[in-house]
Amino acid sequence: MSKVVVTGRVPEPAVESLRAEHEVWMHEDITPISREALLEAVAGADAILSLLTEKIDAEVLDAAGSQLQILANVAVGYNNVDVPACAERGVVVTNTPGVLTEATADIAFGLILMTTRRLGEGERVIRSQTPWAWGMFYLLGSGLQGKTLGVIGLGGIGVATARRARAFGMRIAYASRSECPAELAEELQATRMDTDELLAHADVVSLHCPYSEATHHLIGAEQLARMKDTAYLVNTARGPIVDEAALVKALRDGQIAGAGLDVFEKEPAVHEGLLELDNVALVPHLGSATVETRTAMAQLAADNALAVLGGRDPLTQVQP
Ligand code: GLV
């Protein structure tokens, strides 16, 4: 029997499958575990299931001890994990790709609709009991049909968002490290562009690249200045991909038309400037937040832990 530490509460079926074979300790509270409690809890763990709110670095790995075999992050993004530090200690790292693709694309498209059709603004009118009447020119948004969605990072979530956009009659442009397979390009009628070209061309820019040093502030003042003043920016990837201060300035100056954000640079803090702007839709990191998806994410992380502890290959390993 090995010791499995789960750093935050996850859906029960995953915990049960771990308990069937191992001793499990889980941080039961719904609020993130403190750093101090984390360092204490991981001691002696053979496997750790971590949430994206926990920074897993050398200090945590050393606090766990040399018996640690696997760090299963319950998220597709793993920028909270020091992967080289895990590799140095022979700890396998896994993430949860695939199972949250559709849910996250739904939120990306939800934000596209919220911003282009001014749904948040409209809701605030009603909730604040501001007098209103149907009017030919009242709260007019921007239609999507015939417009171009620019996808930055055409991985699974980028593709799923592009498919939704096609159903809304949009054209697809993408910027990605590699050319997408011909069959997919044909299905999406997707045109590959470099990032600068895409920014200048797209009516909606949606970010779907992983966060790393290379994508830190990928969208800053210079990139926002390239966008059309009628265009929208949507981020469901990771907050620090966007320079939030530059975004606030671009929105204030009317350099772009609006933004929809599910993730924030200093999450859970949100730049005050964003809160004052009406042309921004803000939601609290809900990309994968459905019962079905969270259940599947936790189960995939548990299955990865069970595989490695059982001497089998992990299902979804992050390559060091
Ligand atoms: C959520 O943001 C994830 O990376 O899974």
Side-chain angles (χ1 to χ4, degrees):
M1 219 188 226
S2 300
K3 178 176 174 185
V4 182
V5 169
V6 187
T7 67
R9 200 153 112 212
V10 300
E12 206 44 43
V15 186
E16 271 166 30
S17 61
L18 290 166
R19 283 215 169 101
E21 294 183 39
H22 302 288
E23 179 201 332
V24 179
W25 180 89
M26 179 163 76
H27 173 69
E28 295 278 352
D29 205 286
I30 215 72
T31 53
I33 192 169
S34 70
R35 181 77 182 172
E36 213 180 14
L38 175 68
L39 291 171
E40 204 175 302
V42 294
D46 301 288
I48 300 175
L49 265 68
S50 55
L51 305 190
L52 60 82
T53 40
E54 277 81 74
K55 191 173 162 58
I56 306 294
D57 53 13
E59 192 186 13
V60 174
L61 300 171
D62 292 340
S66 58
Q67 76 298 326
L68 181 66
Q69 295 181 52
I70 171 164
L71 186 281
N73 205 40
V74 191
V76 67
Y78 49 85
N79 54 294
N80 59 312
V81 180
D82 185 338
V83 179
C86 289
E88 276 167 29
R89 291 160 180 78
V91 175
V92 170
V93 179
T94 60
N95 65 342
T96 61
V99 292
L100 47 76
T101 300
E102 302 299 330
T104 308
D106 285 345
I107 289 292
F109 219 82
L111 286 171
I112 293 173
L113 289 171
M114 276 186 82
T115 50
T116 58
R117 298 301 304 276
R118 304 175 67 175
L119 297 177
E121 278 178 83
E123 223 230 3
R124 286 193 288 280
V125 166
I126 304 274
R127 283 192 184 277
S128 61
Q129 299 190 329
T130 305
W132 65 280
W134 185 92
M136 190 59 96
F137 301 99
Y138 184 54
L139 275 187
L140 299 192
S142 171
L144 294 175
Q145 295 69 33
K147 303 280 176 62
T148 298
L149 173 71
V151 177
I152 297 189
L154 197 70
I157 301 170
V159 169
T161 304
R163 288 202 171 112
R164 283 154 178 74
R166 289 293 293 159
F168 276 74
M170 298 186 79
R171 298 173 207 278
I172 310 299
Y174 74 98
S176 215
R177 273 174 307 190
S178 50
E179 182 112 26
C180 83
E183 206 176 301
L184 186 59
E186 168 79 21
E187 178 205 325
L188 298 174
Q189 292 289 296
T191 310
R192 187 173 181 204
M193 296 181 180
D194 67 36
T195 304
D196 284 350
E197 193 188 354
L198 178 143
L199 289 168
H201 190 82
D203 299 293
V204 178
V205 174
S206 194
L207 304 177
H208 298 289
C209 49
Y211 176 65
S212 67
E213 261 171 43
T215 59
H216 181 79
H217 285 188
L218 181 74
I219 305 297
E222 200 186 310
Q223 291 70 29
L224 290 160
R226 289 186 199 278
M227 289 174 66
K228 298 181 191 176
D229 59 7
T230 51
Y232 298 82
L233 177 72
V234 168
N235 188 7
T236 52
R238 282 291 183 268
I241 297 173
V242 176
D243 177 345
E244 236 166 56
L247 176 62
V248 168
K249 188 169 183 324
L251 288 162
R252 270 195 197 135
D253 297 351
Q255 248 173 27
I256 65 170
L261 306 175
D262 184 40
V263 287
F264 302 90
E265 196 172 346
K266 299 197 168 73
E267 215 169 292
V270 177
H271 194 295
E272 271 187 22
L274 291 171
L275 302 174
E276 291 158 13
L277 290 163
D278 246 336
N279 54 347
V280 192
L282 306 166
V283 293
H285 206 148
L286 298 178
S288 64
T290 69
V291 172
E292 297 83 353
T293 300
R294 290 283 162 82
T295 304
M297 287 164 72
Q299 192 61 58
L300 179 51
D303 290 345
N304 273 310
L306 289 170
V308 170
L309 294 176
R312 302 183 301 278
D313 286 341
L315 291 89
T316 50
Q317 183 169 7
V318 169
Q319 290 314 320

